[in-house]
């Protein structure tokens, strides 16, 4: 039986409905949460991502600002921008879109963001809170994966969860979130021995490696839940024919557009898994939804902190 498809779009819509109510309640109290995004240079993928994030703010009635320094920007200039955004009371969330150009010290810039406004959850203070199970602002992609699992009724307690990929942005926080949900977690990476064998032991697989269609049908235990974080654009015809040999609709898309999207999970896994997120339309919509949720949360937490001060 083919896998149940876990649609990120439907879950995103649910979250937006809830957020709109929360935003309306805040508006009644005179509060409008706002997000400032800093987009450096002309990276086309980053431009698309940041525009989608700003569009989501507009759709939900959140304040939004976009700063677009040139690709020649220095670390000091970035630090000065972040300091100004930290000081602004109308800015609740600050998002510095990655990657930054090589001359900019990304770590220093991310560490300069006020942890209370760190809606990406990248600041060491927020990572530390996540480690100790007192999470405030959690990285959007792993938080989105958890929402998919939770809202789809996938049982986590006692489950064997395998996270493939150990990035700071996805793999590591994802493993921590699953562990806090009482799953038994294994983190795999490029040096893992017998990766297919380890993945075969999983009730829940989270693929966040950044390699097209790497997790193959033979790696997945029948009935497992598979969350595909990858988003890879295939532009090579030989590769497209290899991956999509049995997927005529995808091949037709490739023929028409010259490219096609695939996750880190081979589409044939849908024949084995019990539940699986699609690409596109799986984890992607949740990443933006969680950014919106974090912005609203940051607005609340920051005001609660101010109100709580003597
Ligand atoms: N670049 C790729 N993904 C992300 C993300 O989630 N946040 C930021 N700021 N940059 C990214």
């Amino acid at each position: 039986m083919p896998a149940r498809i876990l649609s990120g779009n439907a879950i995103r819509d649910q979250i937006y409905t809830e957020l709109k109510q929360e935003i309306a309640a805040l508006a009644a109290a005179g509060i409008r949460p706002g997000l400032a995004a800093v987009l450096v240079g002309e990276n086309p993928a980053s431009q698309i991502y940041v525009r989608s994030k700003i569009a989501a703010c507009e759709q939900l009635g959140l304040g939004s600002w976009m700063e677009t320094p040139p690709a020649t920007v220095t670390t000091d200039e970035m630090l000065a921008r972040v300091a100004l955004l930290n000081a602004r009371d109308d800015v609740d969330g600050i998002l510095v879109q990655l990657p930054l150009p090589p001359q900019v010290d990304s770590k220093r810039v991310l560490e300069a963001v006020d942890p209370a406004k760190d809606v990406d959850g990248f600041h060491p203070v927020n990572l530390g809170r996540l480690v100790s199970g007192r999470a405030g602002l959690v990285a959007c992609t792993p938080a989105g994966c958890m929402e998919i699992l939770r809202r789809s009724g996938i049982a986590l307690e006692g489950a064997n969860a395998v996270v493939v990929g150990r990035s700071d942005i996805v793999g590591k926080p994802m493993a921590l979130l699953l562990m806090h949900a009482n799953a038994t977690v294994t983190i795999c990476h490029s040096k893992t021995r017998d990766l297919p064998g380890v993945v075969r032991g999983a009730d829940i697989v989270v693929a966040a490696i950044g390699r097209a269609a790497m997790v193959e049908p033979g790696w997945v235990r029948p009935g497992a839940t598979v969350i595909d974080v990858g988003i890879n654009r295939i532009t090579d015809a030989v590769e497209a024919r290899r991956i999509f040999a049995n997927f005529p609709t995808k091949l037709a898309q490739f023929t028409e557009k010259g490219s096609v999207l695939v996750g880190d999970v081979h589409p044939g896994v849908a024949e084995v898994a019990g539940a699986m997120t699609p690409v596109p339309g799986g984890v992607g919509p949740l990443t933006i939804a969680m950014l919106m949720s974090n912005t609203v949360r940051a607005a609340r937490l920051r005001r609660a902190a101010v109100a709580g001060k003597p």
Side-chain angles (χ1 to χ4, degrees):
M1 201 171 60
R4 168 182 166 209
I5 299 301
L6 307 177
S7 161
N9 290 326
I11 295 171
R12 183 244 349 252
D13 292 347
Q14 267 178 23
I15 292 173
Y16 279 7
T17 303
E18 293 164 14
L19 278 178
K20 277 181 188 160
Q21 287 176 6
E22 217 179 314
I23 291 163
L26 286 169
I31 298 165
R32 186 189 196 215
L35 173 71
V38 183
L39 167 65
V40 177
E42 315 272 326
N43 179 326
S46 293
Q47 284 174 332
I48 292 172
Y49 288 140
V50 173
R51 281 194 205 118
S52 315
K53 292 168 182 177
I54 298 287
C57 287
E58 287 167 358
Q59 187 192 337
L60 292 175
L62 301 180
S64 62
W65 301 269
M66 181 159 81
E67 298 195 1
T68 54
T72 52
V73 74
T74 64
T75 301
D76 283 346
E77 283 162 359
M78 286 298 288
L79 292 174
R81 274 179 194 273
V82 168
L84 286 173
L85 295 173
N86 282 342
R88 270 175 57 179
D89 197 46
D90 55 346
V91 170
D92 294 290
I94 301 171
L95 174 131
V96 179
Q97 185 68 24
L98 301 177
L100 293 173
Q103 79 277 9
V104 176
D105 184 339
S106 301
K107 284 216 159 121
R108 264 186 83 194
V109 172
L110 294 180
E111 285 186 24
V113 173
D114 179 346
K117 297 189 176 189
D118 170 38
V119 283
D120 260 328
F122 293 168
H123 194 285
V125 164
N126 285 320
L127 291 171
R129 285 191 183 132
L130 176 58
V131 170
S132 64
R134 295 174 296 141
L137 295 168
V138 177
C140 302
T141 299
C145 294
M146 292 303 287
E147 286 295 321
I148 294 179
L149 291 167
R150 193 170 66 78
R151 290 174 188 255
S152 307
I154 308 290
L156 298 178
E157 191 159 296
N160 286 331
V162 170
V163 179
V164 191
R166 57 175 157 183
S167 70
D168 290 349
I169 295 181
V170 183
K172 286 180 204 166
M174 187 73 224
L176 288 163
L177 289 168
L178 288 164
M179 188 178 71
H180 291 317
N182 296 322
T184 302
V185 183
T186 306
I187 307 179
C188 299
H189 44 75
S190 54
K191 301 286 187 284
T192 296
R193 247 184 276 143
D194 186 21
L195 180 58
V198 178
V199 172
R200 243 176 255 125
D203 304 305
I204 296 161
V205 183
V206 179
I209 325 125
R211 281 192 43 196
M214 184 172 164
V215 175
E216 295 179 6
W219 296 23
V220 175
R221 173 193 284 184
T225 297
V226 180
I227 305 290
D228 190 353
V229 179
I231 180 147
N232 309 286
R233 188 172 288 283
I234 305 293
T235 53
D236 179 79
V238 174
E239 197 180 10
R241 277 198 292 272
R242 180 179 61 79
I243 298 172
F244 297 116
N246 298 318
F247 297 86
T249 337
K250 284 280 195 181
L251 272 180
Q253 274 176 26
F254 180 84
T255 311
E256 190 189 326
K257 294 192 190 155
S259 74
V260 66
L261 291 179
V262 68
D264 290 351
V265 176
H266 192 283
V269 168
E271 294 301 317
V272 184
M276 180 168 158
T277 58
V279 173
V283 174
L286 266 297
T287 296
I288 295 185
M290 297 322 290
L291 179 69
M292 300 298 108
S293 170
N294 274 350
T295 303
V296 172
R297 194 179 161 91
R300 279 186 182 289
L301 291 175
R302 201 160 59 87
R303 280 166 186 80
V306 171
K309 275 186 187 150

